[in-house]
Amino acid sequence: MGIIGNLLARGRVQNRTSGSTYSFLFGGSTSGKAVNERSSMQMTAVHACVRILAEAIAGLPLHLYRHGEDSSKHKAKEHPLYNLLHSEPNPEMTSFVFRETLMTHLLLWGNAYAQIIRNGRGEVVALYPLMPNRMQVDRDRSGRLYYQYTTSAEDAHTTQGSSAVLDPSEVLHIPGLGFDGLVGYSPIAMAKNAIGMAIACEEYGARFFANGAAPGGVLEHPGTVKDPARLRETWQGQFGGSANSGKVAVLEEGMKYTPISISPEQAQFLETRKFQINEIARIFRVPPHMVGDLEKSSFSNIEQQSLEFVKYTLDPWVIRWEQSLARALLGTDEKRTHFFRFNVEGLLRGDYQSRMGGYATARQNGWMSANDIRALEDMDLITEEDGGNLYLVNGNMLPVWMAGAYAGRLDPSEQKENTDEEQQVLAMEKPPGRRRIAREDP
């Protein structure tokens, strides 16, 4: 209530954030088509890109970790935030739906907001998404940020027509790319001309087929037509629409039909639509093959493109999410010991043969156990008694300085086996220089 009282006493100051002086708004584009969050989502390419990214972020396992004393990390399952983010952020939705909704907001409006509900001890007990188009980020006269949220008829009846002022501690805010680091700008609004052109091309194609997939033209009559409007309607009713395409027209009284429009092929209509799909995929940095354009994809490069999607597209969003969650939800002391982490390892795995080869190398060189590998493959673990947690190395590996240590032996039958203690001492005692060592007979 402190910030609300301060605002009421000093008066609210609108548009005091640095980025608010710039306007990247939804609306008309140079193609003449209105572009907003709803019309853009009717474009298949935009819908595909938003859905791919939103479902990818929502589907990644999200865990809260605690730093161990030996520089290790452990899942902090006892912390209230663990179940909140991993399973159920509020009683009305799952973690998948919650993150999918916020990621969709982030991609369409450039910002994602959620109200933080705390109990009497200050612990976070619930998170509820807020619509970005009804949120305003401002500063009061003392320079402190505050969030003003306006409700609408779509909300609960008890809150209709009201406006709430929220403290920064009550809002989980994930901003996208912006100019001031506080408020992000919508990718849709910033690229509305490219999306508007795609909408115009799609509408042109729809109208083309609605008109019978035939170019427009002129009906020429040698005499005077008494009722041209009726003739136009009759012609359109008989031959207009895709259902009437291919019909044979019978012209009477010396009438002649003359087309006056160029064909879609001549206007490079299909090429334009294909380019706009790639343009939209470029906006969201989504590989074209993931939105259905396989023209430049093959079996040899599609896996690499998928790995690049995780590295160059998902990773920045993942880091943005992780740091925003830690900033808004963790206390000052908890930030030193806890952190959020998305698990993207499953998306980085290659094909079965490549994975098995990598596991074999890790197993033989002693930095992965059988249980480490089985955990990554989502398999049941092997018990301690059966050696599931053993780290093994090949026995034929020796330090470089011991190479040729037994080369001076004349008769291998005269050698005796070293005891375990002797082998350990021999491995630890490195001789001076690079002198060859030959063990004397007893």
Side-chain angles (χ1 to χ4, degrees):
M1 294 299 293
I3 188 172
I4 299 178
N6 184 36
L7 291 171
L8 294 176
R10 301 187 179 186
R12 297 172 186 168
V13 180
Q14 304 294 328
N15 297 331
R16 291 297 300 271
T17 56
S18 301
S20 61
T21 57
Y22 298 92
S23 295
F24 293 94
L25 303 176
F26 296 121
S29 60
T30 54
S31 64
K33 300 300 176 183
V35 178
N36 53 45
E37 72 282 355
R38 297 185 183 274
S39 63
S40 62
M41 282 291 283
Q42 293 177 350
M43 285 295 305
T44 56
V46 175
H47 186 275
C49 290
V50 171
R51 184 176 179 181
I52 288 169
L53 291 172
E55 291 180 348
I57 293 295
L60 291 175
L62 174 59
H63 302 287
L64 176 65
Y65 289 94
R66 181 185 70 257
H67 290 291
E69 297 180 356
D70 55 350
S71 300
S72 60
K73 63 178 182 179
H74 310 279
K75 293 180 181 179
K77 295 184 177 181
E78 73 285 351
H79 199 287
L81 285 175
Y82 184 90
N83 184 68
L84 201 70
L85 272 300
H86 182 268
S87 303
E88 188 175 296
N90 61 68
E92 300 176 354
M93 59 187 68
T94 63
S95 177
F96 183 97
V97 174
F98 174 78
R99 285 184 277 155
E100 182 185 43
T101 301
L102 288 192
M103 191 62 191
T104 301
H105 292 173
L106 195 53
L107 295 170
L108 294 180
W109 282 282
N111 295 275
Y113 303 95
Q115 185 179 6
I116 303 174
I117 308 298
R118 302 179 186 270
N119 58 18
R121 297 188 297 270
E123 298 173 342
V124 181
V125 295
L127 296 169
Y128 288 91
L130 298 174
M131 291 300 295
N133 58 336
R134 287 187 262 138
M135 181 69 78
Q136 187 172 352
V137 184
D138 295 317
R139 294 185 186 273
D140 61 10
R141 293 188 181 276
S142 63
R144 187 178 180 186
L145 284 174
Y146 70 92
Y147 295 82
Q148 184 175 356
Y149 188 71
T150 304
T151 60
S152 70
E154 300 176 355
D155 297 324
H157 295 288
T158 56
T159 61
Q160 287 183 8
S162 62
S163 179
V165 177
L166 302 174
D167 189 87
S169 62
E170 300 176 297
V171 179
L172 167 62
H173 180 196
I174 308 175
L177 178 65
F179 293 162
D180 61 353
L182 298 175
V183 179
Y185 293 107
S186 167
I188 300 297
M190 298 183 74
K192 63 182 179 181
N193 287 331
I195 297 175
M197 185 174 179
I199 294 175
C201 289
E202 187 175 75
E203 184 176 328
Y204 172 81
R207 291 185 180 275
F208 174 75
F209 285 100
N211 290 327
V218 175
L219 281 174
E220 299 181 8
H221 193 280
T224 301
V225 179
K226 296 180 181 180
D227 193 352
R230 183 179 178 181
L231 178 60
R232 185 187 305 110
E233 293 176 0
T234 302
W235 179 271
Q236 183 65 24
Q238 290 290 329
F239 306 106
S242 58
N244 296 324
S245 61
K247 285 187 176 181
V248 179
V250 179
L251 302 179
E252 301 177 351
E253 300 179 359
M255 294 178 60
K256 182 174 65 173
Y257 175 79
T258 304
I260 60 173
S261 299
I262 61 176
S263 65
E265 290 77 14
Q266 292 172 333
Q268 294 185 337
F269 168 68
L270 296 179
E271 287 77 5
T272 301
R273 288 209 64 191
K274 184 181 298 185
F275 175 79
Q276 289 309 117
I277 292 176
N278 289 331
E279 189 84 345
I280 293 172
R282 188 180 299 117
I283 295 171
F284 294 99
R285 202 187 295 172
V286 173
H289 78 270
M290 300 188 74
V291 295
D293 185 3
L294 301 176
E295 182 178 2
K296 296 183 179 180
S297 298
S298 64
F299 290 106
S300 60
N301 67 4
I302 200 166
E303 181 181 356
Q304 184 62 34
Q305 291 183 43
S306 299
L307 296 177
E308 291 179 354
F309 168 73
V310 176
K311 183 177 181 180
Y312 299 113
T313 303
L314 278 188
D315 265 359
W317 289 115
V318 165
I319 296 173
R320 195 183 301 271
W321 268 82
E322 292 171 347
Q323 295 184 356
S324 297
L325 290 173
R327 181 190 61 81
L329 302 180
L330 295 178
T332 304
D333 295 334
E334 289 179 326
K335 291 178 182 178
R336 300 189 182 99
T337 58
H338 292 74
F339 62 95
F340 291 97
R341 187 72 74 236
F342 284 90
N343 185 6
V344 299
E345 295 299 326
L347 298 178
L348 293 173
R349 296 192 304 175
D351 58 90
Y352 184 82
Q353 182 177 359
S354 300
R355 296 201 314 274
M356 294 304 107
Y359 291 151
T361 301
R363 177 71 165 151
Q364 294 169 7
N365 287 277
W367 55 274
M368 288 188 78
S369 66
N371 281 342
D372 293 336
I373 298 173
R374 295 177 70 88
L376 292 176
E377 290 294 316
D378 198 21
M379 301 171 66
D380 293 336
L381 301 184
I382 301 174
T383 62
E384 184 76 28
E385 292 77 10
D386 293 333
N389 296 322
L390 288 177
Y391 293 88
L392 308 174
V393 294
N394 284 322
N396 59 350
M397 303 292 288
L398 293 174
V400 174
W401 61 268
M402 291 185 62
Y406 298 95
R409 298 304 301 264
L410 298 178
D411 187 0
S413 62
E414 298 178 355
Q415 303 179 20
K416 77 170 185 177
E417 295 292 335
N418 290 319
T419 64
D420 293 341
E421 292 78 8
E422 289 175 336
Q423 291 180 357
Q424 293 178 4
V425 172
L426 186 60
M428 294 174 60
E429 295 179 353
K430 182 177 180 179
R434 298 188 179 183
R435 181 173 55 88
R436 258 172 79 188
I437 299 178
R439 179 168 163 264
E440 296 181 0
D441 292 334

